[in-house]
Amino acid sequence: MKSRYIPITIIVAAFCMAAAAGYVLFPGEAQDVPARVVMENAGGRVLFTHKAHAEEYGFECTDCHHDDLERDTFLSCGSCHPKAFDETFRAEHPKAFPDKEACLRCHDEAPEGPLAEEDRPSTEDIPLRLDAFHGQCMSCHEENGGPTEDDSCYECHAR
Ligand code: HEC
Ligand code: HEC
Ligand code: HEC
Ligand code: HEC
Ligand code: HEC
């Protein structure tokens, strides 16, 4: 290595170590609670003020994230509330979960392969994506304030 590169190498290494140490001390704090979530959808983009909801409005994470799992972060709603319970969902949904424990939210045990008809969880009680979002946003707003009436579409959706 040419000697003039040595100082810069040391500086870069120092930054990397500081970054790594910071990550160990405060594991992903900033990334684990998104400030805002942008949702593109057929009704017009929704900008969800996630951090305000989680901090200023005084709710617990699990008021909304009801996945019942012991972990530091949460799964996206869409991993359990798909657009449709179709062939794609059947084939792809196990990949949305980081561990087997997550399967138990809906299955009696973690399935290893294709399931007999009677071992498949009922899709009747699991709301699809639109109903999961509208349902949770609206029912809390009805109780605690926030847009919920029939004419409030554009308080959430961009025109
Ligand atoms: C008022 C409801 C609400 C509260 C309270 C809330 N969240 Fe969320 N959170 C959401 C919604 C809705 C999303 C969007 C999920 C999606 O797009 O599927 C989300 C997304 C997330 C994501 C990104 C998930 C992903 O992979 O897309 C993380 C991580 C997260 N929240 C963590 C937290 C933590 C930690 C807390 C508590 C400090 C918290 N949330 C409080 C509703 C909430
Ligand atoms: C690990 C899977 C999983 C995740 C992740 C998940 N849900 Fe659910 N959700 C379910 C299941 C299963 C049901 C069916 C009823 C039950 O078992 O509680 C349900 C029920 C619901 C219901 C109807 C009943 C109720 O509790 O109000 C709403 C609304 C809902 N989910 C919204 C959401 C939203 C919004 C998110 C993301 C912030 C989310 N869910 C994340 C699995 C999940
Ligand atoms: C949000 C609830 C939910 C979670 C969580 C979940 N599943 Fe499922 N799973 C279902 C439903 C509902 C069906 C049946 C779908 C149908 O009948 O169309 C199913 C079906 C299956 C099938 C059968 C597919 C087929 O073609 O016969 C397998 C395999 C499976 N799941 C594996 C898993 C694994 C592995 C996990 C965890 C890593 C998991 N699932 C997590 C709801 C869930
Ligand atoms: C657990 C309760 C709860 C849930 C779930 C919830 N909200 Fe709220 N939301 C509130 C409260 C409380 C306010 C503040 C009302 C006030 O102070 O006027 C609010 C305000 C808002 C506002 C206006 C102010 C702002 O921060 O932008 C919007 C838009 C909004 N919510 C969108 C959503 C969307 C979209 C969802 C679903 C993804 C959602 N909310 C889910 C409780 C909730
Ligand atoms: C409290 C906020 C809020 C209000 C009020 C609201 N929506 Fe939504 N809407 C959402 C969220 C969040 C989603 C889900 C976004 C996603 O799927 O990523 C959504 C999704 C949709 C979708 C997309 C469905 C799809 O499959 O792509 C349509 C259409 C829609 N809303 C229509 C309406 C109409 C019409 C009204 C008024 C009667 C309304 N919304 C009021 C938050 C809201």
Side-chain angles (χ1 to χ4, degrees):
M1 191 190 296
K2 286 207 176 110
S3 62
R4 66 189 157 100
Y5 290 132
I6 290 174
I8 194 125
T9 307
I10 291 171
I11 291 166
V12 169
F15 270 118
C16 291
M17 270 157 20
Y23 188 75
V24 173
L25 290 175
F26 311 106
E29 215 167 14
Q31 301 95 309
D32 281 354
V33 189
R36 277 167 297 181
V37 181
V38 180
M39 300 161 172
E40 303 286 352
N41 65 86
R45 170 190 299 184
V46 174
L47 185 85
F48 176 53
T49 56
H50 184 271
K51 201 163 182 227
H53 276 75
E55 293 177 3
E56 291 162 35
Y57 304 159
F59 297 104
E60 299 292 328
C61 311
T62 47
D63 287 340
C64 302
H65 294 278
H66 57 192
D67 60 14
D68 293 342
L69 302 168
E70 299 284 336
R71 61 162 74 99
D72 299 336
T73 186
F74 296 99
L75 300 170
S76 75
C77 315
S79 26
C80 295
H81 299 286
K83 285 214 162 184
F85 289 108
D86 53 10
E87 280 311 312
T88 312
F89 173 83
R90 284 193 183 191
E92 300 295 331
H93 77 280
K95 297 178 198 158
F97 305 102
D99 48 49
K100 301 269 179 208
E101 199 199 336
C103 318
L104 307 179
R105 183 69 175 78
C106 302
H107 295 275
D108 294 337
E109 52 193 88
E112 298 288 343
L115 291 175
E117 209 60 55
E118 66 268 21
D119 293 332
R120 294 198 181 127
S122 164
T123 55
E124 308 250 305
D125 310 323
I126 310 173
L128 292 175
R129 185 181 174 88
L130 173 64
D131 299 324
F133 278 110
H134 272 186
Q136 190 175 83
C137 311
M138 308 304 183
S139 59
C140 180
H141 289 173
E142 270 161 33
E143 276 182 44
N144 300 291
T148 184
E149 303 299 325
D150 285 351
D151 60 0
S152 67
C153 314
Y154 296 118
E155 290 177 47
C156 291
H157 291 279
R159 275 177 211 266

